[in-house]
Amino acid sequence: MQTVGRHGGIVTIHDLWLDRFPEYSQKFLGQTLSSYKTRGIARRARKVVTVSKFSARELIELFGLSAEQIAVIPNGVSEEFFPRHDDEAFMALKRRIGLASDRFLLFVGGADPRKNHRLVLEAASMIRPHLEGRTLVLAGSAAHPFGSYEATAKSYRLMDCVLCPGRLSQGDLQLLYSHAEIFLFPSLYEGFGMPVLEAMACGVPVITSRTTALGEVAGDAALLVDPDNARELADRMIELLESESLRASLKAKGFARITEYTWARSALQTHDLYATLLR
């Protein structure tokens, strides 16, 4: 988003995923031209707004901006995400997506390589005995030019315990967050990581990456792992599945954590930034 006027320009940049990893660009001519244009806009802006300290560091390193040119204004979590234990609605959702078990682990993000579904399935294959009677629900677009849920699940012989319902509405996600045993989000790269806060708001314990913006956003309210280490993720999954007290602790910390990320606070910070620049 860019605003230009007589007081100068403001541009908002959420992350630099494709600028950092251009090999994943699906543009016909690659990422070079797009990165060049975005970098030029950012350098000419009077202020660049971004959503995390991590993304601010990326802007400094990749685009050569100064720290003074950047304003960090974190996102908020929607008030529409809260624990929803509506048995009738949940049963209807289960029938619609084919979820046979009440015990399930949830991953949201799609087969986009940066969301790292491969690590989730590799870790799941390591703890197969602990998944007996449980389903691994992989929500989001199931196919991507760089891979698919189904192909990866087949490679780890997990098709019998994996469910891929596709892209879901916000209401469906709220129900799944609210009933999941664990939410898994070991993404390789995030400028912020909204699903982490959405899951916390719905009361599900979270395992996410300690890298990029995810550790910054989750704080001590989640178990943090190396997104390249399947063994570590598998161990944290077992730890969380076997400890009711740890699940309860993370749930409480999650509810506390989301109070730090509200859209009202984001709006106020944005208002103050514009007011300062206009003065």
Side-chain angles (χ1 to χ4, degrees), residues 59-265:
L59 287 165
I60 292 169
E61 182 176 342
L62 296 179
F63 283 2
L65 303 186
S66 67
E68 292 72 25
Q69 193 178 353
I70 302 168
V72 176
I73 301 178
N75 291 326
V77 61
S78 170
E79 293 181 357
E80 294 183 19
F81 285 100
F82 57 86
R84 183 183 174 197
H85 296 287
D86 182 330
D87 292 340
E88 184 175 344
F90 184 52
M91 286 297 294
L93 173 61
K94 286 175 60 181
R95 287 192 297 269
R96 178 155 46 84
I97 66 175
L99 177 59
S101 175
D102 287 333
R103 304 168 70 197
F104 66 96
L105 287 65
L106 177 63
F107 168 85
V108 173
D112 181 332
R114 75 158 160 167
K115 301 302 181 180
N116 213 13
H117 77 278
R118 293 180 179 276
L119 189 85
V120 171
L121 290 168
E122 183 180 357
S125 72
M126 294 177 176
I127 62 166
R128 187 59 186 264
H130 292 80
L131 296 180
E132 291 300 327
R134 291 185 169 96
T135 300
L136 182 56
V137 179
L138 307 177
S141 298
H144 189 276
F146 288 93
S148 73
Y149 284 161
E150 182 177 352
T152 308
K154 283 182 177 178
S155 71
Y156 288 110
R157 300 180 180 178
L158 289 169
M159 284 300 293
D160 61 319
C161 64
V162 167
L163 176 67
C164 307
R167 301 188 66 167
L168 299 172
S169 69
Q170 183 168 293
D172 289 345
L173 284 175
Q174 181 196 27
L175 280 168
L176 288 176
Y177 283 138
S178 299
H179 289 84
E181 290 182 89
I182 298 175
F183 177 62
L184 303 164
F185 197 70
S187 179
L188 292 167
Y189 189 104
E190 295 292 333
F192 189 77
M194 287 298 301
V196 168
L197 295 183
E198 292 170 357
M200 289 179 179
C202 293
V204 57
V206 173
I207 303 177
T208 191
S209 306
R210 64 171 59 92
T211 55
T212 65
L214 291 168
E216 174 187 337
V217 170
D220 68 346
L223 296 185
L224 304 180
V225 299
D226 177 351
D228 291 311
N229 190 330
R231 182 71 262 172
E232 184 181 14
L233 176 58
D235 290 343
R236 298 291 81 75
M237 290 165 70
I238 293 174
E239 182 182 359
L240 202 48
L241 287 171
E242 292 184 343
S243 176
E244 184 177 350
S245 62
L246 179 57
R247 293 195 301 274
S249 174
L250 289 180
K251 179 177 179 178
K253 288 180 178 179
F255 286 144
R257 188 70 176 171
I258 63 168
T259 63
E260 301 177 29
Y261 295 96
T262 68
W263 283 120
R265 180 177 294 182

